[in-house]
Amino acid sequence: MKSFLLWAWYGVLATLFGIGLAHVVAALIDPASSPVLAVGSAVIDLTPTPMKEWAIRNFGSADKVILVGSVMTGVLLLAAVAGVLARRRLAVGAGMLVVLVAIAGTAVLTRPSVELVDVIPTLVAAITGPAGLVLLARANEKAATTETGGRRTVLLTIAGVGAVALAGGVAGRVIGNLRLRPEDIKLPTPASPAPALPRGLDQQVPGITPFRTPIKDFYRVDTRLDTPVVGAEDWTLTIDGDVEKKTVITFQQLLDMPMIERDITLTCVSNSVGGPYVGSATWLGVKLTDVLDMAGYKNTKADQILSTDFDGMTISTPLDLATDGRDAMIVVGMNGKPLPREHGFPVRMIIPGLYGFISATKWLERLTLTTYADQKAYWTQRKWDTDAPIKISARIDTPKPLSSSKPGDVVIGGVAWAQERDGIEKVQVRIDGGPWMDAELGPDGGENYWRQWFYKWSAEDGSHSIAARAVAGTGEAQTAARAEPFPNGASGLHEIVVNVNA
């Protein structure tokens, strides 16, 4: 049994040895070419939509960490089996490690915009993983046939292989973090600046969401397991398809165009009722129609803009909604700073009033005017709706669900949004199924920006339910009909239960 476990450990250690060295090489080339991340990305693409929504709903922003951890656990379990097989026949165990790497290599090769250089980390793992197993096996053989120094040789070999594996993982992380440092970009002054954002209720109502979301707290939901490193100097935006002339724009040319600045609330279609995947920021960029005008699109027969990121991910946007006069933007700045890498640096797209899966392409590199009949984007292929306006919603931030308060004045507060519907007209609160009562509204940041709200409640002993609903400036009220995020966004009222006791 002891020998069995030792050889299982050899298989795991050899695999970590190969993964660590591959991780360093991937950090230098492209983090997405890491074998583990490639397999994780393939798992994401193959996972059924209901399972994806379940993971987002239950694990939140930790879903990708759990996915990578699960992939690693599976790999290491198979590596342990390879080590046990190597106990009897070294070639069989080493061959199994090569098969594991070949699976990862297939995942790398099936990425949308793979280049030959992306295969290098997989080749490194294919060579060094089995080599590590051979080293450990030879050391073990020497220990069995040598009376003196054998045990010491095994321990030194284990320590050496482990040290290299650890160093590779650490070096890969350090190199990756260095590459993720923001570039020194000087943002231009907007020709059309946003009005000064009023002071919110942040200090007045403890526990309420900040009126402007800090960059560090802004939600991120996408299919990437890494943070892409795209350089501004080499970046270009191509506009092609059914246009008068194919046009290519450099980053500097984009900065030289007239800039607009707008306060816009973004919402992810995967956001459940009362969920966290919504945020508000001040965005700087160029009007989408100004960019499309450069290619000439007025006589197009297209009905969608197929936007593509640097790695081949596609998102489709209804052309009529993108060009109907709303502040659709090609964005370069967020909250007064260059766009952070995790939010799409150097350039992303934002179209107010539409869920991100049909409007908010990050790391944008191509806009293709085409038809839904001719080309289907990533989410369209997975049966999500092609037309998905953000639904009116109110969220309760405070008090927290199942929290306890003392009898007396309790402040209920939160945020509400109704993009492209003349903003929020009012928010109402209901206690224990009673009548709807108007809450007080915070400052107005524009029709495409959320509003804070609060209601002072004279709380009495007992368990109570609190519900909230929003009404848009157009008169449209938030629906109470419950719907899951798939295929066009969640709906229903946010309702919580709290306890009041002396």
Side-chain angles (χ1 to χ4, degrees):
M1 183 63 180
K2 191 173 182 180
S3 175
F4 180 91
L5 293 176
L6 180 63
W7 280 91
W9 171 238
Y10 286 167
V12 170
L13 193 57
T15 300
L16 291 174
F17 179 72
I19 289 174
L21 293 175
H23 189 55
V24 175
V25 177
L28 293 169
I29 297 173
D30 177 3
S33 64
S34 167
V36 173
L37 293 185
V39 172
S41 296
V43 170
I44 289 177
D45 290 343
L46 295 173
T47 300
T49 295
M51 190 174 294
K52 287 182 182 177
E53 290 303 306
W54 178 87
I56 292 174
R57 184 168 60 253
N58 288 277
F59 301 131
S61 58
D63 60 336
K64 294 176 182 178
V65 175
I66 292 172
L67 172 62
V68 173
S70 299
V71 170
M72 277 295 297
T73 299
V75 168
L76 295 180
L77 285 174
L78 292 173
V81 173
V84 173
L85 292 175
R87 176 170 173 259
R88 296 296 183 188
R89 295 189 63 182
L90 179 58
V92 174
M96 185 172 176
L97 293 186
V98 172
V99 170
L100 287 177
V101 177
I103 294 172
T106 302
V108 171
L109 290 171
T110 54
R111 288 171 54 206
S113 57
V114 64
E115 297 180 5
L116 187 59
V117 70
D118 294 331
V119 184
I120 294 177
T122 303
L123 293 177
V124 169
I127 295 170
T128 58
L133 184 59
V134 170
L135 283 174
L136 292 164
R138 297 304 182 215
N140 193 81
E141 181 181 353
K142 183 177 181 181
T145 58
T146 304
E147 293 184 2
T148 59
R151 179 178 174 82
R152 184 170 179 271
T153 299
V154 170
L155 293 176
L156 287 175
T157 304
I158 290 175
V161 172
V164 171
L166 178 61
V170 172
R173 174 60 64 88
V174 171
I175 293 170
N177 288 339
L178 289 174
R179 295 189 67 191
L180 288 174
R181 289 181 302 178
E183 293 189 22
D184 186 15
I185 303 294
K186 183 178 181 180
L187 296 176
T189 301
S192 174
L197 200 64
R199 182 184 295 273
L201 303 177
D202 308 23
Q203 302 300 319
Q204 185 178 346
V205 183
I208 201 169
T209 297
F211 197 33
R212 176 186 281 139
T213 308
I215 291 176
K216 65 180 180 63
D217 297 330
F218 208 96
Y219 77 92
R220 175 188 170 186
V221 177
D222 51 59
T223 60
R224 307 284 313 186
L225 291 176
D226 61 314
T227 299
V229 179
V230 181
E233 186 175 343
D234 299 326
W235 176 90
T236 59
L237 175 64
T238 300
I239 305 98
D240 61 5
D242 188 13
V243 294
E244 294 176 11
K245 59 177 180 178
K246 178 180 177 180
T247 303
V248 179
I249 304 172
T250 67
F251 188 68
Q252 187 56 53
Q253 288 172 328
L254 190 69
L255 293 183
D256 290 339
M257 295 177 67
M259 291 272 163
I260 64 172
E261 187 181 54
R262 296 292 183 265
D263 298 315
I264 299 173
T265 295
L266 301 188
T267 313
C268 178
V269 72
S270 293
N271 198 43
S272 57
V273 173
Y277 301 125
V278 56
S280 298
T282 302
W283 308 93
L284 177 71
V286 174
K287 285 186 177 181
L288 174 60
T289 49
D290 286 354
V291 172
L292 296 179
D293 279 337
M294 297 177 69
Y297 76 100
K298 296 296 176 62
N299 297 319
T300 184
K301 295 180 181 179
D303 57 11
Q304 73 158 321
I305 301 173
L306 188 75
S307 51
T308 307
D309 77 359
F310 82 106
D311 200 30
M313 171 71 182
T314 54
I315 282 178
S316 61
T317 307
L319 180 61
D320 59 340
L321 297 182
T323 59
D324 64 359
R326 69 184 73 195
D327 288 318
M329 302 171 65
I330 303 297
V331 170
V332 297
M334 178 182 184
N335 286 351
K337 297 181 179 180
L339 198 62
R341 292 194 184 278
E342 63 269 25
H343 293 294
F345 181 88
V347 171
R348 72 175 296 172
M349 188 163 72
I350 286 178
I351 301 179
L354 301 180
Y355 285 115
F357 82 105
I358 63 166
S359 69
T361 310
K362 296 193 279 283
W363 313 290
L364 177 67
E365 289 197 348
R366 183 177 296 270
L367 299 171
T368 302
L369 269 65
T370 182
T371 65
Y372 286 103
D374 288 340
Q375 291 184 267
K376 294 187 183 299
Y378 181 90
W379 296 113
T380 310
Q381 294 172 2
R382 287 155 178 79
K383 308 303 181 183
W384 290 79
D385 280 2
T386 56
D387 185 355
I390 297 172
K391 297 178 180 179
I392 302 170
S393 191
R395 185 180 73 193
I396 302 170
D397 293 332
T398 184
K400 297 298 182 184
L402 302 180
S403 62
S404 296
S405 302
K406 293 183 178 180
D409 288 343
V410 173
V411 177
I412 304 168
V415 289
W417 53 91
Q419 296 96 317
E420 290 296 309
R421 295 179 178 85
D422 294 337
I424 291 293
E425 175 67 25
K426 61 182 176 181
V427 174
Q428 296 179 312
V429 174
R430 183 177 65 191
I431 310 295
D432 296 329
W436 288 105
M437 299 166 288
D438 290 346
E440 294 186 52
L441 296 178
D444 188 355
E447 73 163 333
N448 287 313
Y449 206 76
W450 62 17
R451 291 191 79 169
Q452 298 168 312
W453 58 269
F454 71 97
Y455 177 80
K456 293 182 179 179
W457 169 41
S458 295
E460 299 179 352
D461 279 345
S463 178
H464 302 277
S465 66
I466 303 172
R469 71 176 182 184
V471 179
T474 58
E476 181 182 356
Q478 177 180 349
T479 180
R482 296 198 67 84
E484 294 300 313
F486 180 80
N488 58 18
S491 67
L493 302 181
H494 191 202
E495 188 166 2
I496 65 172
V497 173
V498 298
N499 298 306
V500 177
N501 45 67

